[in-house]
Amino acid sequence: MFSSKLRDNIKTVLITGGSGLVGTRLSQVLAKKNYTVTHLSRKPTGQNYESFYWNVKDGEIESDAITSADAIIHLAGASVADKRWDESRKKEIYDSRIDSTKLLFYNIRELNPNLKYFLSASAIGYYGWDTGSSIVDETTEKGKGFLADVVEDWENEVSKFDELNIPNGKVRVGVVLSEKGGALAALAKPIRYGVGAILDSGEQYLSWIHLDDLCGIFFHLLDNKLRQTVNGVAPNPVTNKELTKAIAKKIKKPVFLPNVPKFALKLLLGEIADMLVGGNNVSSKKIEQLGYSFQYTELDQALTDLL
């Protein structure tokens, strides 16, 4: 699954957000392939990988982080689901993505304009809150809503690396499934305690991906220095109802409570509820056509591995 065509010219990969769910696993994948992995962090520890200091708000970054990198994978960004979206939180979500990319661009331009590759996370939030059952792909127009606007500006900042003639790619990440946390843990927890429920109609699509496949997609783009924007989702999205029932079946717990209505979610979560009751049926065909082969194409496969 993980080849090493670029071993001769990409040896050191700098990762932002390296201590997060995706960054931790991707760091392990790269290290096992004998790449030197370094991290940018607000609190460098260097426990597992050499780490350098940066502070996006203050526009600070250790120059050695940039000069020592052959490629950069940019995963950093405030979580969109941890807190209610007041104006302060929205600003944090926006700035953590756009300002961090600008900071990297400026420093790469000044310190390492011959960087070999820049790869950034993005999000399927680009397509908007709810595209129904219609299949969307990378040619679909941007949707409406806060996240769609954030993603558009984020991707535009990444595209500026074209000005430096640095190959760059973007992965529009879907709902990541992992035993280490994230969406799966959040969905499974109430089910384990007997209070799991289907959200709203339950017919809204959820475009999931196993963490290992997401890391595989990042590596595939890096390995081939692909100048592409691709969806980081598995080939077979499911509905909220199908996902909830599948998790319950795997952990042998019933789902018997009535569906949670949209208005209740709105009262509890605010604007974040729009993400939960909306949905996107996102296509993975482009990344497959670019040569990536999925390990987990069906939800049952992924849940069997993770649960």
Side-chain angles (χ1 to χ4, degrees):
M1 174 180 159
F2 299 114
S3 61
S4 305
K5 299 173 192 172
L6 297 180
R7 185 70 49 79
D8 292 339
N9 63 350
I10 291 184
K11 297 177 181 177
T12 300
V13 181
L14 174 66
I15 300 178
T16 76
S19 62
L21 183 70
V22 179
T24 297
R25 177 63 179 137
L26 185 55
S27 295
Q28 294 168 349
V29 168
L30 291 168
K32 284 181 180 178
K33 289 297 178 180
N34 295 319
Y35 285 84
T36 298
V37 176
T38 60
H39 288 175
L40 275 174
S41 173
R42 286 174 296 175
K43 297 179 180 180
T45 62
Q47 290 181 346
N48 298 309
Y49 308 96
E50 184 176 10
S51 57
F52 300 93
Y53 175 77
W54 78 330
N55 186 314
V56 175
K57 288 184 179 179
D58 295 337
E60 297 176 344
I61 190 168
E62 279 193 66
S63 60
D64 286 353
I66 302 299
T67 57
S68 64
D70 299 312
I72 294 176
I73 300 178
H74 183 30
L75 305 175
S79 172
V80 300
D82 283 356
K83 302 176 183 177
R84 288 176 72 100
W85 288 356
D86 57 17
E87 290 308 308
S88 174
R89 184 59 177 174
K90 283 186 174 182
K91 186 177 188 305
E92 186 177 1
I93 289 169
Y94 184 91
D95 291 351
S96 66
R97 289 161 172 79
I98 281 66
D99 289 354
S100 62
T101 310
K102 286 180 177 179
L103 180 62
L104 288 167
F105 176 85
Y106 173 79
N107 281 274
I108 291 166
R109 185 181 65 188
E110 298 301 312
L111 300 170
N112 192 359
N114 296 313
L115 188 80
K116 297 178 177 69
Y117 192 58
F118 186 91
L119 178 57
S120 180
S122 179
I124 61 172
Y126 177 86
Y127 303 112
W129 296 127
D130 189 0
T131 49
S133 60
S134 300
I135 297 173
V136 297
D137 62 20
E138 293 84 354
T139 65
T140 302
E141 290 185 2
K142 180 184 90 68
K144 296 179 180 180
F146 168 66
L147 281 185
D149 294 341
V150 170
V151 174
E152 179 181 44
D153 289 353
W154 190 10
E155 292 187 356
N156 286 341
E157 292 301 326
V158 176
S159 294
K160 289 180 181 177
F161 283 92
D162 289 336
E163 298 171 13
L164 305 180
N165 199 31
I166 293 175
N168 57 87
K170 312 170 191 81
V171 180
R172 291 177 179 163
V173 178
V175 178
V176 183
L177 302 185
S178 166
E179 77 278 18
K180 301 295 185 183
L184 183 58
L187 290 164
K189 186 175 181 179
I191 296 173
R192 290 186 192 278
Y193 286 99
V195 291
I198 294 163
L199 304 181
D200 200 40
S201 71
E203 298 304 319
Q204 62 272 33
Y205 272 89
L206 187 144
S207 293
W208 61 275
I209 185 167
H210 190 293
L211 177 60
D212 284 350
D213 273 321
L214 180 60
C215 291
I217 289 173
F218 273 104
F219 195 92
H220 186 74
L221 265 69
L222 172 73
D223 199 36
N224 295 282
K225 281 197 290 194
L226 295 177
R227 296 175 183 251
Q228 298 285 346
T229 299
V230 301
N231 293 323
V233 297
N236 295 292
V238 296
T239 64
N240 173 264
K241 182 188 297 184
E242 290 169 335
L243 178 63
T244 303
K245 289 185 174 182
I247 293 172
K249 183 178 179 181
K250 285 296 177 186
I251 61 180
K252 296 179 171 59
K253 293 286 185 178
V255 175
F256 58 87
L257 294 177
N259 293 21
V260 181
K262 181 177 180 178
F263 78 86
L265 290 168
K266 275 281 195 181
L267 287 172
L268 182 65
L269 302 171
E271 196 174 344
I272 294 175
D274 290 329
M275 282 197 303
L276 301 177
V277 299
N280 305 110
N281 186 357
V282 182
S283 171
S284 65
K285 284 186 178 179
K286 182 176 179 180
I287 188 60
E288 293 178 271
Q289 291 168 350
L290 289 169
Y292 182 73
S293 297
F294 281 87
Q295 293 186 77
Y296 302 94
T297 60
E298 301 290 343
L299 178 65
D300 186 68
Q301 287 177 294
L303 294 182
T304 297
D305 178 67
L306 297 171
L307 295 176

